[in-house]
Amino acid sequence: MDDLKIGVIGLGVRSSLATIAHRPGKGSRVVACCDRDRRMLNAVPERFGPATQATFDHRDLLDADLDAVFILTPDSTHEPLALDFLRARVPVFLDKPMAITTEGCDRLLSAARSCDTALYLGHNMRHMPVVLAMRQIVQDGLIGEVKAVWCRHFVGHGGDFYFKDWHADRRNTTSLLLQKGAHDIDVIHWLAGGYSRLVNAMGGLVLYGDLTARRERRPGERMTDWFSPEENWPPGSLRDLNPVVDLEDVSMMQMRLDNGVLASYQQCHFTPDYWRNYTVIGAEGRLENFGDDEGSVVKVWNRRSDYREEADLTIPVHTPEGTHAGADSQLVAEFIEFIRKRASTLTSPIAAREAVAAACAATASLRNGGRPVDVPAPDPLDVAYFEYP
């Protein structure tokens, strides 16, 4: 079996996915890289081999005879970069979020369909063991028909991760309901078996907006250059914030899905702990996860009682080694198989688009007094095209 020839656009934190994909002699190898940071390009020979092409301009890779390309760049660049490669008929792995507008997502779907080019979205949480365990419980009917879902996300490292660089500027991200929430909204949709069609939201920049310790832009600096868990507390002591900080640091959205399920999502970026907690309520019980890495469990209650910590069913979740609870390795393996065979996938371009659409509509609501906003449906032609076998 010949190795797939892989290109990589963006050599930052998420380029760990490219490292996973680089398996010379075992099915895939990175042969070309693009980044605007010379430091990253200088490290290419050591990371991927001395023969690996390295360039500042992604257009140099459009005709480089690639079998696929990983696009792992800042959010606002996803759409233009992916459009170029889709139109060049190079299969694309696009990290989440798909784009920073609903319209941008629809342009990507349309381009992939019209050019008949493979498009894969990096929603790695669909491969996380805790999410798969919750979905299996739902599919097995252990809580009956799903009626409501909610998720609380305490983003304990939010100040360092999202308010010291490009993330903090809404021109680059739209909102953290989109940038960070796209994962959770997608999981909510997946567990509920439907997509949001009406949303509303409230939130604000209630803490980091008051901090005056900003810094000048330093091109090429990465989050890993400054992140220190010990220095990230209390949040009010945070220093060196991005010059522009205009994103909400706490947000709450509500959703009505097309199948009648009601859902909510809450996100806070200045909690002392990092924690993501889902609750799914069905007609015959409820489930809840406690943790999302090794040692976590999913509990199911389906007998009437007063509050009790002991559940009727407790499912331990085994987490393989690797980033994001082992999900990144599964994500890359699925993408490689998808490119080779157009095999079915857990991820979905339509689902990725629907997560962005819900988040964008919620952001519009949040910034306009919490009024309800309709979420536009995708083009039926795109939906039909992306129904992979």
Side-chain angles (χ1 to χ4, degrees):
M1 177 176 63
D2 292 337
D3 288 341
L4 294 178
K5 298 185 294 295
I6 304 294
V8 183
I9 314 299
L11 295 171
V13 174
R14 289 302 283 157
S15 68
S16 59
L17 294 173
T19 302
I20 295 170
H22 185 56
R23 303 173 69 244
K26 297 181 179 179
S28 57
R29 60 190 173 97
V30 173
V31 300
C33 296
C34 174
D35 199 286
R36 293 182 177 180
D37 186 343
R38 185 173 296 279
R39 292 182 307 165
M40 297 299 173
L41 290 183
N42 289 342
V44 165
E46 182 177 352
R47 287 187 69 179
F48 302 115
T52 308
Q53 180 181 354
T55 179
F56 290 103
D57 192 338
H58 77 279
R59 290 170 294 187
D60 293 339
L61 305 188
L62 293 175
D63 57 358
D65 193 30
L66 298 175
D67 295 307
V69 63
F70 281 79
I71 296 178
L72 309 170
T73 53
D75 301 358
S76 62
T77 67
H78 287 185
E79 180 191 348
L81 289 172
L83 283 174
D84 279 353
F85 283 96
L86 290 171
R87 289 166 178 165
R89 290 178 166 80
V90 179
V92 170
F93 177 111
L94 183 58
D95 202 18
K96 55 64 61 182
M98 187 174 185
I100 63 170
T101 66
T102 305
E103 296 80 8
C105 292
D106 289 339
R107 284 188 286 269
L108 288 170
L109 294 175
S110 177
R113 172 168 58 86
S114 61
C115 297
D116 193 27
T117 307
L119 174 62
Y120 182 95
L121 270 296
H123 275 272
N124 55 5
M125 283 191 66
R126 289 195 175 210
H127 287 278
M128 287 180 66
V130 69
V131 173
L132 292 171
M134 290 188 291
R135 180 166 166 81
Q136 192 63 54
I137 289 168
V138 170
Q139 291 184 316
D140 289 346
L142 298 182
I143 61 171
E145 183 181 359
V146 174
K147 297 295 184 181
V149 184
W150 54 76
C151 173
R152 301 177 301 157
H153 196 179
F154 307 133
V155 191
H157 56 229
D160 268 350
F161 267 51
Y162 303 108
F163 289 88
K164 289 189 174 183
D165 65 4
W166 57 268
H167 292 87
D169 187 334
R170 67 176 63 176
R171 292 172 297 182
N172 300 324
T173 54
T174 296
S175 69
L176 289 173
L177 270 178
L178 171 56
Q179 206 290 326
K180 187 62 174 170
H183 274 312
D184 292 306
I185 296 169
D186 178 58
V187 171
I188 288 170
H189 287 167
W190 205 35
L191 295 175
Y195 295 124
S196 297
R197 286 292 164 259
L198 182 69
V199 301
N200 75 321
M202 298 187 72
L205 181 58
V206 304
L207 192 150
Y208 296 119
D210 295 331
L211 305 186
T212 58
R214 307 297 175 85
R215 63 171 175 81
E216 296 299 320
R217 296 186 186 277
R218 294 195 284 266
E221 193 174 42
R222 311 277 171 146
M223 179 272 295
T224 49
D225 294 332
W226 65 71
F227 178 62
S228 172
E230 293 77 17
E231 298 175 6
N232 195 29
W233 191 261
S237 66
L238 212 64
R239 297 292 181 267
D240 296 328
L241 271 68
N242 195 59
V244 176
V245 176
D246 61 1
L247 294 182
E248 297 76 16
D249 49 22
V250 60
S251 306
M252 311 171 197
M253 67 180 288
Q254 299 184 100
M255 299 159 261
R256 177 179 293 155
L257 277 57
D258 51 14
N259 58 1
V261 173
L262 299 175
S264 66
Y265 173 59
Q266 298 87 39
Q267 176 191 98
C268 182
H269 287 266
F270 48 85
T271 57
D273 52 344
Y274 189 96
W275 184 260
R276 179 187 273 117
N277 172 254
Y278 292 94
T279 297
V280 183
I281 301 177
E284 300 172 17
R286 74 175 177 94
L287 68 79
E288 186 173 351
N289 75 294
F290 294 83
D292 57 16
D293 53 13
E294 187 61 34
S296 62
V297 299
V298 179
K299 293 186 175 184
V300 176
W301 290 265
N302 48 26
R303 290 185 298 113
R304 292 193 66 183
S305 69
D306 292 329
Y307 172 78
R308 52 190 166 91
E309 183 177 349
E310 181 181 355
D312 297 303
L313 175 65
T314 298
I315 299 174
V317 178
H318 170 63
T319 301
E321 293 184 2
T323 51
H324 291 98
D328 283 347
S329 295
Q330 296 299 316
L331 190 75
V332 171
E334 182 177 80
F335 173 64
I336 298 300
E337 187 73 3
F338 172 63
I339 295 305
R340 287 195 178 278
K341 302 179 180 179
R342 285 290 184 106
S344 61
T345 62
L346 292 183
T347 67
S348 158
I350 296 297
R353 180 267 186 203
E354 293 282 31
V356 171
C360 287
T363 301
S365 171
L366 183 155
R367 294 172 183 165
N368 194 19
R371 66 176 179 86
V373 176
D374 291 317
V375 181
D379 186 329
L381 293 176
D382 291 334
V383 174
Y385 175 79
F386 286 103
E387 287 183 350
Y388 298 125

